[in-house]
Amino acid sequence: MEIAGVRRTVYLFLMRACYSGAAFVIAFERASQQAFLEAHVEAFHFCGGTFAIVRYDNLRSAVRQVLRGRRRVEQDRFVALRSHYLYESVFTRRGKEGAHEKGGVEGEVGRFRRRRLVPVPKVATLKELNDLLEDGCFAELERRIVGRAETVGEALRIERRALRELPIEDFDPSEQASPRVDQKALVTIRQNRYSVPVSLVGLRVAARIGAREIVISHQGRQVARHPRLHGRYQTSARLDHYLELLQRKPGALKGSLALRQERERGRWPRSFDELWRALAQRYGDSEAARQMVDVLLLCRELGSDRVELAVRGALAAGAHDGRAVALLARRKERPAQLPLFELPEQLRSSERPQPTLGEYDALLQRGGGR
């Protein structure tokens, strides 16, 4: 696949329902046991239930040891998955004989690849690729298998009546870790580093390690979420995690790793650079960096889309100032003015009798005047 302009190898998981022919496909960067388990959770949700029996090849993610005949020693995590969803596993025989026992899956892999992955998709992220694959899975529900009257989706609705209901809670295939946050607000997980808010420096956090993402929590509250890095000695940094530090040292913003990665992810709008250049020409580099940090804090409070719109408005009006951006971004928070046709009704609620001078005239007649 071509992801972010780079040709990369990805691994596909495919589960096919025997009766309906419905298939679920998902891609992972690594063919790990974690990916294998996560794919089952997604596949069961797509099918709307759990099958009584699932047939497998003799892959290492499920099988620890192949014994005589069809006996297998299964991996502990795979046994935990089956126990959670209460289904039985059956493994094919080794060699060519086993290939004929899963011909439906073998054929579906080639068919799906030709229909949905030719030409090779060009995507920005693995998530975008999986969104395309998911759309393809749903689109395939509309096709008709030769010799059948109903579509694949209609057959799947019939098949769902025989499936076991999904448990209330999904199986959790993630691993757990409790790393300590270093002085750069980073935690090391599987030889890669991920940023967390600077307020957590020196503390231990709880990390949930999945095949596709890393979720970091502190005292039961999620504080960071990163796509999982699969190399070694790499770093994933979020600019939002360092804003409190950059308030004190705004000059560090320009050369920061977090800012460079925000640009690489496409999450740094071009209008922000235009504003930054205009601020630098007007106030100088130091003050421009400080005001840009204020704009980023505004993104945390009001949302990046709303602030980006305010930045564009300020640039269009020639108001090259962070305070002007804040004013435009908060404009929706002001109470809306009442339309003119509603004014008489509002005024009626505060009606008072018109003043008269009768009592004053009576006072003058009694000689109260001078």
Side-chain angles (χ1 to χ4, degrees):
M1 302 297 169
E2 188 170 316
I3 302 178
V6 179
R7 184 62 66 91
R8 297 164 63 179
T9 299
V10 298
Y11 300 86
L12 299 182
F13 171 96
L14 185 144
M15 179 180 286
R16 180 180 182 274
C18 290
Y19 174 78
S20 63
F24 174 79
V25 184
I26 189 171
F28 293 90
E29 292 190 52
R30 294 290 184 273
S32 63
Q33 186 188 56
Q34 257 190 329
F36 177 70
L37 299 177
E38 281 191 19
H40 276 76
V41 177
E42 300 289 345
F44 290 148
H45 273 287
F46 175 79
C47 295
T50 308
F51 302 96
I53 298 175
V54 181
R55 187 180 299 276
Y56 297 92
D57 199 346
N58 298 290
L59 66 171
R60 290 185 176 274
S61 295
V63 176
R64 183 190 305 171
Q65 184 179 1
V66 178
L67 303 178
R68 181 176 298 178
R70 295 187 182 274
R71 294 191 303 150
R72 304 289 186 269
V73 178
E74 297 179 349
Q75 297 282 1
D76 292 342
R77 293 284 287 162
F78 178 64
V79 173
L81 173 78
R82 288 201 305 102
S83 300
H84 186 85
Y85 289 105
L86 300 176
Y87 71 91
E88 181 182 351
S89 60
V90 175
F91 296 92
T92 61
R93 289 173 291 181
R94 290 183 290 182
K96 293 183 179 180
E97 293 180 347
H100 294 298
E101 296 179 356
K102 52 185 176 62
V105 170
E106 298 285 357
E108 183 65 26
V109 169
R111 194 196 63 79
F112 191 93
R113 179 182 61 80
R114 291 188 296 271
R115 286 177 61 89
R116 302 296 170 182
L117 298 176
V118 177
V120 175
K122 297 180 180 180
V123 295
T125 63
L126 183 66
K127 182 182 183 303
E128 184 178 341
L129 173 61
N130 278 323
D131 289 342
L132 289 175
L133 293 176
E134 185 179 26
D135 291 343
C137 292
F138 281 106
E140 290 297 317
L141 297 179
E142 301 300 322
R143 73 185 180 93
R144 295 180 189 273
I145 297 176
V146 177
R148 292 189 179 182
E150 72 274 6
T151 65
V152 171
E154 291 168 346
L156 179 60
R157 284 194 288 271
I158 297 173
E159 190 172 20
R160 280 175 178 162
R161 301 171 189 170
L163 300 185
R164 187 189 304 276
E165 289 188 8
L166 294 172
I168 296 176
E169 294 185 1
D170 290 334
F171 177 76
D172 185 4
S174 64
E175 299 177 13
Q176 308 296 325
S178 55
R180 186 179 295 277
V181 184
D182 66 18
Q183 292 300 314
K184 294 184 178 180
L186 297 169
V187 295
T188 301
I189 300 171
R190 303 293 188 269
Q191 297 182 303
N192 291 304
R193 301 194 299 174
Y194 304 87
S195 68
V196 298
V198 292
S199 59
L200 300 176
V201 168
L203 301 178
R204 284 201 176 274
V205 293
R208 181 170 165 266
I209 308 167
R212 291 173 289 175
E213 67 177 5
I214 305 290
V215 179
I216 303 169
S217 304
H218 180 65
Q219 294 182 347
R221 181 177 63 90
Q222 181 180 308
V223 295
R225 182 185 292 265
H226 295 266
R228 182 172 177 177
L229 301 173
H230 290 282
R232 294 195 301 172
Y233 314 123
Q234 301 178 65
T235 301
S236 175
R238 299 290 189 194
L239 190 55
D240 182 70
H241 294 160
Y242 296 94
L243 294 183
E244 286 77 11
L245 177 62
L246 292 171
Q247 275 186 301
R248 302 195 301 269
K249 299 180 179 179
L253 173 63
K254 187 174 183 179
S256 65
L257 172 65
L259 176 58
R260 177 166 61 82
Q261 291 193 351
E262 291 293 307
R263 295 183 191 275
E264 292 172 354
R265 298 182 188 113
R267 299 176 58 181
W268 182 264
R270 185 177 300 176
S271 59
F272 282 24
D273 282 326
E274 295 177 14
L275 176 65
W276 200 340
R277 287 192 294 268
L279 290 173
Q281 291 177 0
R282 183 174 182 181
Y283 296 109
D285 292 341
S286 179
E287 176 63 15
R290 188 192 67 77
Q291 291 199 28
M292 285 306 300
V293 173
D294 290 341
V295 170
L296 294 174
L297 286 167
L298 202 62
C299 290
R300 177 191 290 177
E301 179 186 352
L302 302 177
S304 57
D305 292 340
R306 184 168 168 181
V307 174
E308 183 182 355
L309 186 61
V311 169
R312 291 179 180 178
L315 290 171
H320 302 153
D321 192 290
R323 288 163 293 188
V325 173
L327 185 65
L328 290 173
R330 297 183 188 280
R331 185 167 55 182
K332 292 184 179 180
E333 297 179 354
R334 303 176 190 173
Q337 294 184 354
L338 294 174
L340 290 178
F341 63 82
E342 293 185 6
L343 285 177
E345 182 65 29
Q346 296 295 325
L347 292 175
R348 195 174 298 116
S349 64
S350 57
E351 285 183 352
R352 297 291 185 274
Q354 293 186 1
T356 64
L357 298 178
E359 294 182 359
Y360 182 70
D361 291 338
L363 179 62
L364 290 177
Q365 292 177 3
R366 291 198 298 267
R370 294 181 179 177

